[in-house]
Structure formats: structure tokens, C-alpha cells
Amino acid sequence: MEKKQADDYKRQKISGREILFQVCNYGIFGLFTVLCAYPFYYLIINSISSNVMSANGDINFWPRQIHFQNYKDTLQLAGLANAAMTSVARTVVGTACTVLASAFLGYMFTQQKMWHRKLWYRMMVITMYFNAGLIPMFMTMKNLGLTNHFWVYIIPAIVQPFNIIMVKTYVESLPSSLQEAAEMDGAGVLVRFFRVTLPLCTPILATIAIWAAVGQWNSFQDTLLYVTDQKLYTLQYILYTYFNQASSLATLVKSSQTMTTIANIVTAQTPTSIRMTISVIVVLPILFVYPMFQKYFVKGIMIGAVKG
């Protein structure tokens, strides 16, 4: 009886420790989540609140005097729609090319029959540590005829050594008997890649797709360096330009509004309102990429599992 009571007491004591751990665990991660989400929340509430109060720094936790005139005015700025189309196009095409190249090269570097496989692999890895620099890179792009061309966004980002190493490591963890069986059945390199290896690499390819999509969407420096044609400006570059010209843009938007709208001090545009609104417009689309790819990531783990 005494032993049973001691066991019950010990079980209750352990249970109490577990509860305390869970409370602390959820509390810490909850606080971390709030700290990560607050900057986005801050942008949104300032973009829909009174522009004057936002400019004065009075909007911190709750939106006040809510309106959506900022979005209506900002979406009418010249070049914004075309920049959005360019950003979407480069993100979709660039992500697809990067994922396919990373998958194929990572797969080929695991093939023992590849000609001078170790040499090519080492040359690829070296590029992670050495960079020619800005001026040689610009001269290369110019000599290749890629300046002021859409493919300047795609081609330089196709081969990513780190992504290739990730795929190579993942392929090496797969059972080699799968490829050997396909080879015995007469399957060539491409058949084995597309029909055997590629379906099993879904989890790592989903991860690489997220990295590539975020990198393509957020990139603006390549536009700054290689592009002068306004038709090829990206959304991030427009954001960069508008941030530097927020004061003049606010004046421009005011001048295009009617006298009734100008008289409304709540919706009168300010540099802060321009910055906040454009930031939300640029950030929101890429936020939807994560939950979409997360679904395929989990699904890919199930599909990629080796069934007994």
C-alpha cells in the first residue's frame, strides 16, 4: 500500500513537472511568434489607420480611424502593375528552373559513371567561396547580352551550389537498390531521374522551392545593376525607389486627388503612409507561399517514404 502511494505521488510529481515544462514551452514559443508576427501586423494597422496619426507614431497596437484609401491611391501609381507581373513571372520561372537544375545536378553527382564526377563537383563547390566581384559580373552579363533582358533574373540564379549539395545528400540517403533495379530493367539516366529519383525527392525540392521563391521575390539588386528598361522593373525595385521618393510621391498623390479628399485629413497621404502601404503590398503575396509549400512538403514526406 505504501509502495503504491509512493508510486502515485511520484507519478503526480512528474506530471506536475511536465505541465510546468509545457506551460513554459508554449509561453516562450508564443512570445517568439508574437515578436515575429508583430512587424507585419504593425505595417498593416498603420496602412489602414489615420495617415496623420500614423506619421506621428500614434498607431502601435490597434488601428484607429480605419480607411482603405491608401491602397486605392497606391495601386494607381505608375508602373506598379507591370512591376508586379514581372516579379510574379521571375518568381515562377526562376523557381522552376532552380529546382529542376538543383535536382538534376544533385542526382548526377551521385552517379559513379559520370565522367570526372569528383572534378566537376569540386569546381562547383569552389564557387561557394570565391566570387569574381561586381564589375566582372556586370561585364559578363553585358557581354552575354543579358542586360535589359528578362533572363538576367533567371540564368544567374539557376545553379545554386548549396541547393545542389542538399539534393545530392538527400539522393545518397535513398536506397541504391531502386536505381539498380531500374537500370537492370533497361532504364536510362533520364528515365531513372524522372521516374525513380525525382518523385522521392519531393521534400527537399519543396524546401529548395521555398528558398528560391523567396529569393527571387525579394531580389532588387539585380534590377538596380543590370536593368534600365522600366518595363522590366520588379516590385521590390519599385518599393526601393518609392521608399527613396516617398515625400514626392505623397505630394503627387495629393495633387491627383479631388479637393474633397484633400480636405479629409484622415486620408491625406504622407511619406509614412506611402511606405507602409507599399510594404504591405509587396510582403503579403510571398507570405502565402509558405503555407502552400508547407502542405506539399508534408505530402512529399509521405510520398517519398519507402514502403516495406
Side-chain angles (χ1 to χ4, degrees):
M1 187 69 180
E2 293 179 357
K3 184 178 180 181
K4 183 178 180 181
Q5 291 178 350
D7 292 340
D8 292 341
Y9 175 76
K10 185 178 180 180
R11 201 175 294 113
Q12 291 177 0
K13 188 176 182 180
I14 295 175
S15 178
R17 291 177 179 177
E18 290 180 352
I19 292 175
L20 179 62
F21 172 77
Q22 292 294 339
V23 171
C24 294
N25 193 27
Y26 281 109
I28 292 173
F29 281 102
L31 178 62
F32 183 73
T33 302
V34 171
L35 292 176
C36 292
Y38 178 75
F40 301 104
Y41 175 74
Y42 181 81
L43 288 175
I44 294 173
I45 62 175
N46 274 272
S47 67
I48 62 176
S49 298
S50 168
N51 293 342
V52 175
M53 298 180 68
S54 176
N56 293 333
D58 297 331
I59 308 298
N60 294 314
F61 298 103
W62 306 107
R64 301 170 65 180
Q65 300 181 19
I66 298 176
H67 69 93
F68 298 93
Q69 187 65 32
N70 290 340
Y71 292 94
K72 181 179 178 181
D73 295 336
T74 304
L75 291 174
Q76 294 176 355
L77 292 174
L80 200 64
N82 184 73
M85 293 179 61
T86 303
S87 292
V88 171
R90 71 170 295 182
T91 300
V92 173
V93 178
T95 301
C97 292
T98 300
V99 170
L100 183 60
S102 300
F104 185 71
L105 291 175
Y107 165 76
M108 289 303 299
F109 283 132
T110 63
Q111 303 301 300
Q112 298 293 333
K113 296 180 180 180
M114 179 181 175
W115 183 69
H116 290 299
R117 177 176 64 94
K118 293 183 179 180
L119 173 64
W120 296 118
Y121 182 71
R122 288 170 182 170
M123 290 181 63
M124 184 270 297
V125 172
I126 287 175
T127 62
M128 297 178 62
Y129 303 98
F130 297 97
N131 191 298
L134 183 60
I135 296 178
M137 188 66 177
F138 175 81
M139 293 176 63
T140 301
M141 295 296 107
K142 186 175 181 180
N143 292 333
L144 292 174
L146 292 177
T147 54
N148 282 325
H149 199 287
F150 175 76
W151 286 102
V152 76
Y153 297 138
I154 309 300
I155 294 178
I158 289 180
V159 178
Q160 299 288 341
F162 181 76
N163 294 343
I164 295 172
I165 294 173
M166 294 287 290
V167 175
K168 176 180 178 293
T169 305
Y170 187 88
V171 173
E172 289 175 342
S173 68
L174 299 176
S176 59
S177 57
L178 296 176
Q179 294 191 40
E180 293 173 357
E183 187 175 4
M184 291 178 63
D185 291 339
V189 175
L190 293 179
V191 174
R192 296 199 305 271
F193 170 68
F194 284 105
R195 294 191 177 183
V196 179
T197 305
L198 195 62
L200 298 177
C201 293
T202 306
I204 189 63
L205 295 183
T207 304
I208 292 175
I210 293 176
W211 294 342
V214 173
Q216 287 283 2
W217 181 267
N218 289 335
S219 179
F220 77 94
Q221 192 173 14
D222 45 10
T223 307
L224 182 65
L225 296 175
Y226 308 128
V227 176
T228 57
D229 186 356
Q230 294 184 3
K231 294 181 180 179
L232 295 175
Y233 284 173
T234 60
L235 203 57
Q236 293 292 345
Y237 180 75
I238 292 292
L239 171 65
Y240 167 78
T241 305
Y242 284 174
F243 256 59
N244 294 334
Q245 302 175 355
S247 298
S248 59
L249 280 173
T251 304
L252 177 63
V253 172
K254 284 181 181 180
S255 64
S256 63
Q257 295 172 336
T258 61
M259 294 303 296
T260 304
T261 307
I262 293 176
N264 190 350
I265 195 171
V266 173
T267 60
Q269 294 295 339
T270 64
T272 302
S273 68
I274 293 289
R275 293 190 179 99
M276 295 294 180
T277 306
I278 294 177
S279 298
V280 173
I281 293 174
V282 172
V283 168
L284 278 183
I286 199 62
L287 290 180
F288 292 102
V289 170
Y290 286 95
M292 290 174 59
F293 275 92
Q294 181 68 22
K295 178 180 67 175
Y296 291 108
F297 183 83
V298 175
K299 183 180 178 181
I301 294 177
M302 300 302 296
I303 294 176
V306 179
K307 307 299 188 295

